[in-house]
Amino acid sequence: ALCGSVQTLCLVSFPSATDTARVLFTLILLGLATGAVSNSAGHFKTYLAYSLPLIVPLSLLWMVCSGQNYSATTGLAVGALILVCITAILVGYARTAWRLFDESCRIRFRESDLNARLVKALGEAEVANRAKTRFLAAASHDLRQPLHAISLISAALGLRPLDAESKEIVTLLN
């Protein structure tokens, strides 16, 4: 509000300014009010606090100060146009900018949360994968030991003198 009020001080010379200077003041102040939409990210109270001290005095001066080359009706119309139409457009832009800014922040926070959850899930998957590997190694070892013992016993049995039928069973077992 203070910044907008200070920038409006140039309007002190508005009543005695030429029509060209008045148009220049208007363009500069409305340009500042337009730029404030993006500078405030459209935050409504912030935008109004800055832009109303620019727009309201400018509009009123157009309405009450007659010019050299335009009628009082033209000045009234320009002031009303600035106050009603341009302000409505800029407030609409500010609301849209704020909505987009707010949505962008929400998306970013949601993305950060999802990334954190993904990193956690990845860590859990790595822990589970290591546990699976250890389990398979232990299970493989536990299964190989008895099979190896059976294989040794079967081989030792095959070295003994056996009848033909027993020798066939030992061969199948091996």
Side-chain angles (χ1 to χ4, degrees):
L2 180 62
C3 188
S5 298
V6 168
Q7 291 173 341
T8 305
L9 290 177
C10 68
L11 292 178
V12 170
S13 62
F14 191 90
S16 60
T18 64
D19 292 344
T20 304
R22 288 178 179 184
V23 169
L24 185 61
F25 289 149
T26 302
L27 289 175
I28 290 171
L29 292 179
L30 290 179
L32 290 170
T34 302
V37 170
S38 63
N39 290 342
S40 65
H43 186 265
F44 192 68
K45 290 179 182 177
T46 304
Y47 177 72
L48 288 181
Y50 173 77
S51 64
L52 287 183
L54 294 174
I55 295 173
V56 172
L58 177 65
S59 299
L60 294 176
L61 285 170
W62 272 101
M63 289 179 190
V64 298
C65 296
S66 58
Q68 298 146 350
N69 296 315
Y70 63 87
S71 67
T73 306
T74 302
L76 189 61
V78 169
L81 179 70
I82 292 170
L83 188 61
V84 176
C85 294
I86 293 178
T87 302
I89 291 169
L90 292 178
V91 166
Y93 285 154
R95 287 180 193 261
T96 301
W98 176 252
R99 190 174 60 249
L100 291 173
F101 177 76
D102 184 53
E103 183 179 337
S104 296
C105 288
R106 289 179 195 279
I107 290 170
R108 178 68 181 121
F109 291 142
R110 191 174 26 216
E111 179 182 295
S112 289
D113 180 52
L114 288 173
N115 284 340
R117 289 173 38 202
L118 181 62
V119 166
K120 182 182 176 191
L122 184 60
E124 291 171 356
E126 287 174 359
V127 167
N129 191 37
R130 285 192 298 271
K132 174 199 64 144
T133 301
R134 281 192 308 272
F135 170 77
L136 288 177
S140 173
H141 178 266
D142 290 348
L143 288 174
R144 270 186 279 150
Q145 267 188 326
L147 289 176
H148 185 63
I150 291 171
S151 172
L152 289 175
I153 293 170
S154 172
L157 188 59
L159 295 175
R160 293 180 172 240
L162 300 171
D163 60 43
E165 189 177 332
S166 297
K167 200 154 203 72
E168 185 181 336
I169 292 173
V170 169
T171 303
L172 287 174
L173 186 60
N174 282 334

